[in-house]
Amino acid sequence: MGVDVESEEAHFAVEEVNAGTHANGFGHTDDGRAFAFRVHRSTLYVEIYRADVRSPVPDRSEVEAVSEHSVTEIDLTDERSIIGVVRDAVVHAQHLSDVSQRDTTAVRAFFNRVNSVLEGF
């Protein structure tokens, strides 16, 4: 099923959506970049690919931005609900350089907490 969501200045489209517990699909952002999404457990994962990707099946090296979103409150049997959460995830996707900084900070915070606990002994 192809669904277009239009606004005054943008064109977002989900070209394929498969509803269900393991929902997945693909489409393109308002600026024309391709994206793919999938649900694993209770999390939606979105990968947005570089604008210059020519391959019909991009690989991980062509991922430009990523997003994760909880789907515990989403009806995964309803395509409209899935498209809505995908649209939100695409809007809030982080460029990979931003994600790597966040992950480094999270790891550092974890080790700081472990260190604090160990110092308490």
Side-chain angles (χ1 to χ4, degrees):
M1 173 183 166
V3 178
D4 291 339
V5 179
E6 295 185 50
S7 71
E8 295 172 3
E9 56 191 44
H11 185 74
F12 169 89
V14 175
E15 297 166 21
E16 179 71 32
V17 61
N18 298 302
T21 306
H22 302 287
N24 61 74
F26 58 88
H28 61 271
T29 65
D30 58 352
D31 61 1
R33 293 180 295 160
F35 69 83
F37 67 90
R38 64 185 172 86
V39 172
H40 181 69
R41 298 190 183 195
S42 61
T43 304
L44 169 76
Y45 297 94
V46 177
E47 294 180 336
I48 301 174
Y49 304 104
R50 292 190 329 259
D52 62 348
V53 171
R54 300 285 182 233
S55 171
V57 183
D59 64 23
R60 291 187 89 37
S61 68
E62 297 168 319
V63 175
E64 182 176 71
V66 296
S67 184
E68 295 179 15
H69 196 294
S70 173
V71 292
T72 56
E73 301 293 321
I74 305 300
D75 180 2
L76 294 175
T77 63
D78 179 29
E79 291 179 356
R80 293 176 301 167
S81 297
I82 296 167
I83 291 168
V85 74
V86 168
R87 181 176 50 240
D88 291 346
V90 166
V91 168
H92 294 102
Q94 293 184 317
H95 196 271
L96 282 182
S97 65
D98 297 338
V99 172
S100 62
Q101 288 175 345
R102 184 191 72 197
D103 289 346
T104 301
T105 304
V107 170
R108 183 170 299 171
F110 171 74
F111 283 123
N112 286 340
R113 289 182 187 153
V114 169
N115 190 35
S116 297
V117 170
L118 293 175
E119 288 176 355
F121 287 114

